[in-house]
Amino acid sequence: MVKHRFKKVSSLRQVLLITLAVILWLTSNPGIASAENDRDHIKVLIIYTTPDGQVTQHQRMLDMLVGHFTKDITVMSSESVVERDVEGVTHLFYFGEVKGVVPSRVQSIFDRFNGHKFAMGHNTSKLGDSFNFFETEESCQIDELQIGEGEKVLIDSKMIQHVILKKPDTRVWISASHKGNPIPLYIQNEKSFYFATPYIDNIFSPYLAEVLHDFFQVPHTHLHPAYLRLEDIHPMVDPEELEKIADLLSEKGIPYMISVVPVYRNPETQREIHLSDSPKLLNLLKKMQKEGGSIIMHGYTHQYRDDETGEGFEFWDVENNMPISAPATEEVTKKEESDFDSEEEYEEYVNKVKEFETDYISTKIEKGIHDLVSNGLYPLAFEPPHYTMSQNGYGIVSNYFSTYVGQLQLSDEDWRIMNPSPSISSPSFLNGMTFLPETLGYIPPDDPEAIERVKSAVESQQIVRDGVMAAFYHPFIGVEPFKELMATMETIPDIYWIDLKEQGDAAQTDHIRIASSDGRVDVDVDYGQLLFSSPEFYKPLVKNGANTTLWIIGALSMMMVTLFFIYIYTFSRKRKRMEASSHDHS
């Protein structure tokens, strides 16, 4: 086994910014270290009631919000939860997405639980005495939100549960209003909290993310993690504009992310072009990796069927709006349980689809990591093309990467149901991966409103004390719009730039280990095992070696030719002198 060590070049400015961030964090939150340690002891159980007993996108949104405070999260249906499931739980949630029958044991669970309790949506009257400090009437309309005594914010019209307070000592954390009439949205009485909606969307998400800090009683810094991501860098990308942007970021000492697609596949000829076929781009990427950029694996070919690389959905069958279930050359028909004669036949079909998807994703990821590493690029995180991937897919990715970047698909029924979390998170459905959300969007070409949309997203993220400020950019658009995006982000108060090389991110296959810490990336490669299990790993190495050999041969040839001409010239001069001398003597 051979170990490589790669160390980034850090600017003094970046070091000073990080130091300042730490100082501000510690001074504004005395005792923060002990509070952070408390996160390790937070254990959450989320009980839900949904139409079919299955988790929906709304529970996954709550999972993402809770995942900012702990990785120890269990999500269970009210039909299946039992008393022993609460053992060791420190914070108990109930999510009533629909009105329905709640088993009496759930009321018993809530009555016996002594920790902090959170409920949202319907059926709270069936949770025992913990939630008797209010009652709900039919839904009502709202168009304003306000945290505490803060500024009122106009929102698109929403429907929430109409809450009537029954105890005077109830605290209203978030209030809503319609035409000036106040309506409680998020309330607390002793250790019980209630959020008056049966759903979570992009409007409610940052508000709930902020007040959950007080529910969990885990103080967090009022600093905003931020990142810029350069998107869709594949072997056919022109390096000229990319280099201008990289140089600008390097001059400013801003760490950044590079989403790399290792292979470009021509949909017409089916020819594959690898990074080793684009030496100018590859050398630039290596330089960027040394000077502040961190590599993200953005799929393997960024396409599934006959889409062009950079356009296609690699890990989702977008034509059938379903997980990948067959080779790209095969016709696929999406099937429902009603298409089968028995439940057993349907389960057999589901397992077969999942088995194919598992093998497909695993193969793509392993090839991608091997291709990048063999070219001297070391991925520290993963981002699927168009953010699309099934829940099973997240489990597969977690076998290879510690960190996921972008947004999360929250449904296996429709890829368009996706969202980020407002803060860095580790939801249970990511199987231990850390989620770095993209929250500000991107800059489309020739869109005069793009920066204004980014600014609007920044305002929403500022609701959360540690909301992430993250955007991505396609370098082909050019350096000038990028300067405007960067300037917009640099004006955000209290931001610090995320550096994947500083935070202990990792990637692995059976024979490759990549890990970052303290600005350094360590890479362990078992070349002997790769020779047998993944011989294609050596193709770029052989090609680079062959190219180097050819250059050496070429240089030696040129040297020999030059020496030959020097010899001929010298011999010719010497001969002329001898002839002249002979003529003089005669």
Side-chain angles (χ1 to χ4, degrees):
M1 179 176 291
V2 178
K3 174 179 276 193
H4 300 276
R5 178 162 288 181
F6 162 73
K7 189 167 184 176
K8 74 157 195 176
V9 177
S10 298
S11 71
L12 177 60
R13 180 180 178 184
Q14 180 63 23
V15 173
L16 290 174
L17 285 172
I18 293 173
T19 303
L20 178 60
V22 173
I23 292 172
L24 288 171
W25 185 358
L26 292 174
T27 55
S28 62
N29 294 283
I32 191 73
S34 61
E36 289 299 313
N37 290 335
D38 288 343
R39 295 178 62 184
D40 297 334
H41 304 293
I42 293 176
K43 180 180 175 64
V44 170
L45 173 63
I46 299 174
I47 304 170
Y48 64 87
T49 303
T50 56
D52 59 0
Q54 300 299 311
V55 174
T56 73
Q57 68 265 29
H58 300 295
Q59 287 82 58
R60 292 193 178 107
M61 280 290 291
L62 180 59
D63 194 348
M64 283 198 295
L65 298 179
V66 172
H68 182 53
F69 303 93
T70 180
K71 288 187 176 183
D72 195 346
I73 306 168
T74 302
V75 183
M76 300 187 69
S77 166
S78 57
E79 295 297 321
S80 60
V81 69
V82 294
E83 290 276 358
R84 66 173 176 272
D85 294 319
V86 192
E87 292 178 7
V89 168
T90 59
H91 295 75
L92 182 61
F93 285 72
Y94 174 79
F95 194 143
E97 184 175 333
V98 294
K99 294 179 180 178
V101 176
V102 178
S104 59
R105 65 178 175 276
V106 175
Q107 175 176 329
S108 175
I109 287 171
F110 272 85
D111 278 337
R112 295 180 181 213
F113 186 73
N114 293 320
H116 283 71
K117 309 171 192 180
F118 176 106
M120 64 180 297
H122 303 290
N123 309 320
T124 53
S125 63
K126 302 170 184 177
L127 300 180
D129 293 337
S130 301
F131 294 95
N132 65 3
F133 59 96
F134 68 95
E135 60 184 29
T136 57
E137 297 181 348
E138 290 302 313
S139 300
C140 60
Q141 186 177 354
I142 63 169
D143 49 31
E144 282 185 333
L145 290 176
Q146 179 184 23
I147 294 182
E149 299 299 321
E151 181 180 353
K152 291 183 179 180
V153 177
L154 287 172
I155 62 169
D156 294 335
S157 180
K158 299 285 179 184
M159 300 300 292
I160 67 170
Q161 299 294 102
H162 192 178
V163 172
I164 307 297
L165 302 181
K166 295 175 65 177
K167 291 186 178 182
D169 58 341
T170 298
R171 178 173 181 175
V172 178
W173 285 90
I174 305 176
S175 59
S177 59
H178 177 60
K179 295 182 178 180
N181 298 317
I183 305 163
L185 176 62
Y186 182 62
I187 57 178
Q188 173 195 2
N189 191 276
E190 297 181 352
K191 291 184 178 181
S192 297
F193 296 71
Y194 176 68
F195 192 67
T197 74
Y199 63 94
I200 304 175
D201 62 8
N202 284 334
I203 300 296
F204 291 135
S205 176
Y207 285 88
L208 188 51
E210 170 57 20
V211 294
L212 279 175
H213 286 85
D214 298 285
F215 172 76
F216 283 103
Q217 297 181 330
V218 176
H220 277 132
T221 171
H222 288 252
L223 292 173
H224 296 287
Y227 69 77
L228 282 164
R229 195 177 75 233
L230 306 181
E231 192 79 345
D232 290 340
I233 311 303
H234 57 70
M236 293 298 288
V237 165
D238 184 348
E240 184 175 346
E241 293 298 325
L242 177 61
E243 186 168 20
K244 292 177 184 177
I245 292 171
D247 288 344
L248 181 62
L249 289 163
S250 181
E251 289 170 10
K252 288 180 170 288
I254 296 176
Y256 57 98
M257 302 180 190
I258 317 161
S259 290
V260 180
V261 185
V263 178
Y264 176 90
R265 198 188 77 168
N266 187 311
E268 296 179 0
T269 65
Q270 304 303 312
R271 180 193 171 200
E272 290 188 349
I273 302 171
H274 293 249
L275 287 167
S276 56
D277 299 316
S278 302
K280 187 174 180 180
L281 173 64
L282 179 57
N283 288 333
L284 173 59
L285 290 173
K286 290 179 179 178
K287 174 188 172 187
M288 293 166 67
Q289 184 176 233
K290 290 180 180 178
E291 296 181 353
S294 292
I295 304 297
I296 296 173
M297 181 180 159
H298 189 33
Y300 181 56
T301 62
H302 203 310
Q303 48 77 241
Y304 171 49
R305 290 195 171 93
D306 289 326
D307 302 295
E308 183 178 2
T309 290
E311 300 294 332
F313 290 64
E314 186 167 9
F315 299 108
W316 187 259
D317 183 351
V318 71
E319 291 181 16
N320 296 290
N321 203 8
M322 64 181 289
I324 301 292
S325 60
T329 54
E330 290 187 12
E331 290 290 329
V332 173
T333 302
K334 188 174 183 178
K335 297 181 179 180
E336 307 292 344
E337 187 170 1
S338 57
D339 296 321
F340 296 86
D341 293 332
S342 67
E343 184 178 345
E344 288 75 16
E345 289 182 4
Y346 176 65
E347 287 298 324
E348 184 179 348
Y349 163 75
V350 169
N351 291 334
K352 185 178 179 181
V353 168
K354 185 176 290 188
E355 183 179 345
F356 180 87
E357 181 193 34
T358 299
D359 182 66
Y360 171 88
I361 295 176
S362 297
T363 301
K364 288 268 193 172
I365 292 178
E366 289 185 13
K367 283 185 174 182
I369 293 175
H370 290 171
D371 207 290
L372 289 169
V373 172
S374 66
N375 281 291
L377 301 176
Y378 310 123
L380 293 174
F382 179 80
E383 175 204 350
H386 301 294
Y387 303 146
T388 54
M389 179 166 275
S390 71
Q391 298 300 306
N392 178 51
Y394 294 140
I396 300 164
V397 173
S398 68
N399 294 326
Y400 299 95
F401 288 94
S402 67
T403 305
Y404 178 104
V405 174
Q407 296 192 14
L408 291 171
Q409 182 176 324
L410 303 177
S411 169
D412 281 354
E413 303 301 320
D414 188 348
W415 69 269
R416 290 162 293 193
I417 300 175
M418 68 168 58
N419 269 306
S421 60
S423 308
I424 295 173
S425 176
S426 297
S428 65
F429 60 90
L430 282 191
N431 300 284
M433 287 190 291
T434 297
F435 176 36
L436 301 181
E438 173 266 297
T439 55
L440 304 183
Y442 70 110
I443 306 297
D446 304 319
D447 183 355
E449 302 299 322
I451 289 295
E452 290 306 313
R453 283 198 296 275
V454 170
K455 290 178 179 178
S456 176
V458 167
E459 290 182 6
S460 178
Q461 283 297 100
Q462 286 177 320
I463 292 169
V464 190
R465 67 189 69 178
D466 49 6
V468 175
M469 305 291 181
F472 67 94
Y473 188 81
H474 293 95
F476 74 84
I477 298 173
V479 70
E480 293 305 319
F482 180 78
K483 288 179 180 178
E484 191 173 3
L485 171 61
M486 190 167 65
T488 298
M489 294 187 66
E490 286 183 300
T491 61
I492 301 172
D494 303 324
I495 70 166
Y496 68 93
W497 298 102
I498 294 173
D499 187 346
L500 295 184
K501 297 189 186 76
E502 297 283 355
Q503 59 180 36
D505 297 290
Q508 66 177 10
T509 66
D510 285 344
H511 310 301
I512 293 175
R513 301 287 186 276
I514 305 167
S516 70
S517 64
D518 301 324
R520 188 181 67 246
V521 178
D522 291 323
V523 186
D524 290 328
V525 181
D526 192 334
Y527 288 104
Q529 292 297 322
L530 280 169
L531 180 62
F532 299 101
S533 64
S534 185
E536 68 274 8
F537 174 83
Y538 287 90
K539 289 180 181 179
L541 299 176
V542 171
K543 183 172 184 177
N544 291 336
N547 288 340
T548 302
T549 302
L550 288 174
W551 276 107
I552 292 173
I553 292 172
L556 289 173
S557 299
M558 286 297 295
M559 186 183 300
M560 294 298 292
V561 170
T562 302
L563 289 172
F564 176 75
F565 278 110
I566 291 173
Y567 171 76
I568 294 296
Y569 175 77
T570 304
F571 179 78
S572 176
R573 291 286 302 272
K574 185 176 181 181
R575 183 176 181 181
K576 286 181 179 180
R577 287 198 300 269
M578 291 175 66
E579 288 176 352
S581 175
S582 175
H583 178 73
D584 290 342
H585 286 298
S586 65

